[in-house]
């Protein structure tokens, strides 16, 4: 079971690296179109959704907090004060750095660990249920929303940019 967590967090790290590339592409796109790239931070798809910066922060926080809760290790904290794309990229990098410290062994017992959060009002989930039902969907929701905001605003990224490099092999 621990190998599964390590592999899935490997995929989450891959997606965070893709997110970093999107932020880099957004910066270049804004400069090409002669507008301040930091305007992206306030963009949103709907008035009742988090703005772009908060979507990036939440995707990052979901990955690091899921890892911390499943391993019992302390996660780094960030003050949510990013005001530039470069600062958001630094946050992505910091989360990747934290995730890189974890090994498959760190996830021993993760599936049966009791997980709770303050907003759950005393309720708990097993680590396996928390990861599958809450952490993964939440991570991909915010990641996809970041992608959608960028696409909606003309940033030239596509499905291949979302997926990143695949481990495909030629037949034979």
């Amino acid at each position: 079971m621990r190998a599964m967590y390590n592999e899935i967090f490997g995929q989450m790290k891959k997606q965070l690296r893709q997110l970093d590339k999107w932020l880099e592409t957004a910066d270049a796109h804004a400069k090409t179109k002669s507008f301040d790239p930091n305007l992206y931070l306030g963009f949103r798809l709907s008035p009742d959704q988090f703005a772009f910066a908060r979507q990036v922060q939440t995707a990052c926080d979901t990955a690091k907090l899921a890892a911390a809760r499943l391993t019992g290790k302390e996660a780094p904290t960030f003050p949510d004060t990013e005001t530039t794309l470069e600062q958001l990229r630094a946050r992505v990098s910091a989360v990747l750095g934290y995730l890189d410290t974890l090994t498959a062994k760190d996830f021993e017992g993760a599936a049966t660990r009791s997980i709770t959060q303050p907003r759950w009002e005393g309720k708990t989930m097993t680590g396996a249920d928390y990861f599958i039902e809450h952490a993964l969907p939440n991570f991909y929701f915010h990641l996809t929303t970041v992608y959608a905001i960028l696409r909606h605003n003309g940033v030239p990224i596509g499905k291949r940019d979302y997926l990143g490099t695949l481990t495909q092999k030629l037949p034979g």
Side-chain angles (χ1 to χ4, degrees):
M1 204 59 175
R2 68 182 180 191
M4 176 199 69
Y5 287 107
N6 200 47
E7 289 174 4
I8 294 173
F9 275 100
Q11 179 63 28
M12 291 172 86
K13 290 190 304 187
K14 176 186 171 186
Q15 293 304 137
L16 288 169
R17 287 189 297 273
Q18 291 307 114
L19 169 58
D20 184 60
K21 290 176 184 178
W22 307 341
L23 297 175
E24 183 178 30
T25 302
D27 184 59
H29 176 72
K31 289 174 181 169
T32 298
K33 298 293 183 179
S34 300
F35 70 89
D36 179 359
N38 299 316
L39 288 173
Y40 288 114
L41 277 73
F43 292 174
R44 58 184 79 222
L45 292 177
S46 175
D48 65 345
Q49 279 191 319
F50 292 153
F52 180 84
R54 182 89 182 268
Q55 298 288 351
V56 173
Q57 293 162 346
T58 305
C60 288
D61 287 354
T62 300
K64 73 169 182 163
L65 291 173
R69 289 180 178 127
L70 291 168
T71 63
K73 295 186 177 280
E74 188 81 20
T77 59
F78 306 109
D80 295 339
T81 57
E82 292 89 359
T83 58
T84 67
L85 285 178
E86 198 56 42
Q87 290 171 346
L88 287 174
R89 292 186 70 198
R91 184 171 183 141
V92 171
S93 179
V95 171
L96 284 166
Y98 168 69
L99 295 176
D100 282 342
T101 68
L102 303 175
T103 66
K105 185 165 177 48
D106 292 322
F107 290 98
E108 283 183 359
T112 58
R113 187 180 304 273
S114 180
I115 308 291
T116 190
Q117 296 184 53
R119 70 174 188 262
W120 291 355
E121 301 172 345
K123 297 174 187 155
T124 64
M125 297 178 86
T126 66
D129 289 342
Y130 160 77
F131 192 56
I132 298 298
E133 296 175 24
H134 181 78
L136 281 176
N138 198 47
F139 174 74
Y140 281 103
F141 174 84
H142 292 286
L143 185 75
T144 302
T145 303
V146 169
Y147 174 86
I149 290 170
L150 292 175
R151 287 279 297 164
H152 177 74
N153 286 283
V155 176
I157 54 176
K159 190 172 188 177
R160 287 183 186 196
D161 299 296
Y162 185 91
L163 295 175
T165 303
L166 303 176
T167 56
Q168 296 174 321
K169 297 178 177 133
L170 291 171

